Amino acid sequence: MRRWRAALALGVALLGALTAGAAVPAESGLLDFQPDEVAQILHHGPWPPPLPRDPGNPLAGRPAAIALGQALFFDARLSPDGRLACASCHQPGQAFGDGRARAEGRAPLARNTPSLWNAAHQRWLGWDGAFDSLWSQALQPLRHAQEMAATAPAVQALLRGDAKLACAWRAATGAPPPGPPASAEADDDALMLTLARALGAYVGTLVSGRTAFDRFRDALARGDRRAAARYPLDAQRGLRLFIGRGQCSSCHSGPLFSNGEFADIGARFFSAPGVVDPGRHGGIAALQASPYNLLGPWARPTPPDEASRKTRHVVAQHRNFGEFKVPSLRNVALTAPYLHDGQLATLDEVLRHYADLNLDRLHADGEQILKPLRLSAGEQADLRAFLHSLSDAGATRWQLRPARRGAGRC
């Protein structure tokens, strides 16, 4: 009883110290985090945040559409030769990436395959942000000649020739799969967009689990010093560097460890000899030209101003050339290689890139946040330990989920 009272008193004292603006006391197993550090740490949670719904997607959140999207995600028959499914590049055992430097579709592609974990929380989709919704992004690899190269007639034949898929389609959409032949290009669009919306509904459910960092962060939030002290000291030191001298949290902010925007970090952006990847600059142009963005006729129901405002007001600037998406760091230790084209093979290479940053490679009007960190070997090891603590133990052990209630029976 005395021990319990002492622990309770200590917890109350710590919580009082935090709310009063005092530092977390330095004890065995816990660094003396200062009030401003604690505030920054708490800003990276809680996890998971409320799940947003894919804007402009009438199928988002519907159990039957999620079940259909899951079935389609793993179905290689969507590609003409039955060789490629969405899951061919977004492999569950690879944290919904593929482990390659650059994606391999029907031909080698120019960019790295991003993980789909927590895609629903992304403000923009794609390394260049060319897509403003999950459903519009899903349409790109479906139709792209170098990726899945799916066609409306082939999809029609597949849906009508597979009783289970036909049943799942009816449950999700309220109508049977359309019959061939497509009467007009608009019919093709309608079919493929329904397919993409179902895929978007499914991908929107892929939310990663809690991590060692989340448990530490929440222990700090409730003033539980004993639980906080279970977080490894090297990860704590790495976290202090991350939010402090490294200024990593300036871009890798919030519960997702990403501000959802784009940055030039001094990495090369030649996708092949003499071929330049324009990054965000090209992504904005593609987004604005797309009939499938949130301002276009296919966003149904018409999204509220809040959802489409980002697309309405985005403007390409010269500085966007060579900028690429600031990726989420959740499960980052599981998603090598790194950067938009996989040019850095390991986390250690990423850390060395920032340690020895070449400022001459940054845009003249770029962010002034970045500077060479000049990390010691111990500091690099601490940062690596912290980044590993952002991994969800189940992120590479995903399994097919049973259909939810309301999905119908097929």
Side-chain angles (χ1 to χ4, degrees):
M1 179 65 74
R2 270 189 293 227
R3 256 187 223 171
W4 180 85
R5 284 179 180 164
L8 179 61
L10 192 54
V12 170
L14 177 56
L15 183 58
L18 287 173
T19 56
V24 175
E27 297 284 348
S28 176
L30 185 60
L31 298 183
D32 58 335
F33 287 103
Q34 299 302 302
D36 62 322
E37 292 177 310
V38 173
Q40 289 188 69
I41 293 167
L42 297 188
H43 178 67
H44 288 285
W47 187 263
L51 188 64
R53 181 163 291 192
D54 192 21
N57 184 356
L59 299 185
R62 295 186 183 181
I66 293 167
L68 172 63
Q70 177 176 267
L72 294 169
F73 187 88
F74 291 94
D75 200 325
R77 294 175 296 173
L78 291 175
S79 61
D81 53 7
R83 186 169 62 88
L84 290 175
C86 303
S88 300
C89 290
H90 298 286
Q91 301 168 24
Q94 294 278 355
F96 283 95
D98 61 7
R100 299 175 180 269
R102 300 185 184 190
E104 288 278 348
R106 301 172 67 77
L109 303 176
R111 291 179 179 163
N112 177 262
T113 300
S115 170
L116 292 183
W117 280 121
N118 309 311
H121 291 289
Q122 298 283 355
R123 179 174 170 81
W124 306 101
L125 284 303
W127 280 107
D128 59 4
F131 310 98
D132 55 5
S133 67
L134 292 174
W135 61 270
S136 63
Q137 192 283 325
L139 191 62
Q140 164 74 7
L142 280 173
R143 283 180 153 174
H144 197 287
Q146 292 185 324
E147 297 188 58
M148 294 175 68
T151 64
V155 170
Q156 287 174 338
L158 171 62
L159 293 172
R160 295 181 71 84
D162 186 303
K164 276 197 167 186
L165 279 181
C167 176
W169 185 276
R170 181 189 291 272
T173 68
S183 59
E185 185 177 344
D187 293 335
D188 288 356
D189 264 354
L191 173 68
M192 298 301 285
L193 277 162
T194 301
L195 184 69
R197 287 169 178 150
L199 287 167
Y202 167 64
V203 171
T205 68
L206 298 177
V207 178
S208 62
R210 287 169 52 76
T211 67
F213 166 80
D214 295 314
R215 292 188 289 274
F216 171 73
R217 180 259 173 211
D218 291 354
L220 283 186
R222 65 177 183 268
D224 188 343
R225 185 179 59 82
R226 179 173 294 181
R230 298 190 189 108
Y231 191 50
L233 274 170
D234 55 355
Q236 291 183 47
R237 292 191 299 265
L239 171 57
R240 172 167 273 171
L241 271 169
F242 184 88
I243 63 175
R245 180 164 64 85
Q247 299 190 71
C248 311
S249 57
S250 297
C251 294
H252 295 285
S253 57
L256 198 62
F257 285 88
S258 171
N259 61 8
E261 293 300 330
F262 303 82
D264 167 25
I265 61 167
R268 69 168 188 258
F269 45 84
F270 287 92
S271 56
V275 180
V276 174
D277 187 332
R280 182 57 171 155
H281 197 276
I284 292 174
L287 173 71
Q288 293 174 331
S290 173
Y292 310 112
N293 67 33
L294 290 179
L295 303 176
W298 294 103
R300 298 174 182 167
T302 302
D305 287 343
E306 184 63 31
S308 59
R309 186 174 296 137
K310 62 182 181 182
T311 307
R312 188 179 305 278
H313 296 294
V314 68
V315 176
Q317 302 176 48
H318 175 72
R319 68 183 299 274
N320 297 133
F321 199 91
E323 289 186 336
F324 294 92
K325 191 176 190 177
V326 175
S328 169
L329 295 184
R330 286 191 173 270
N331 292 312
V332 66
L334 306 175
T335 56
Y338 302 102
L339 276 55
H340 67 281
D341 60 355
Q343 63 187 262
L344 300 180
T346 66
L347 275 181
D348 280 333
E349 287 188 21
V350 174
L351 294 173
R352 284 196 293 272
H353 171 82
Y354 286 105
D356 305 322
L357 190 68
N358 183 355
L359 295 177
D360 291 336
R361 298 192 65 171
L362 297 174
H363 294 150
D365 61 347
E367 297 289 344
Q368 298 302 307
I369 297 170
L370 294 177
K371 59 185 178 181
L373 296 182
R374 308 300 184 210
L375 299 172
S376 68
E379 288 172 330
Q380 183 168 315
D382 289 341
L383 271 172
R384 184 172 60 248
F386 164 66
L387 293 172
H388 276 269
S389 80
L390 301 179
S391 294
D392 160 28
T396 56
R397 298 201 296 268
W398 180 94
Q399 295 180 345
L400 283 171
R401 301 174 183 180
R404 297 181 180 183
R405 181 178 297 179
R409 292 188 178 183
C410 294

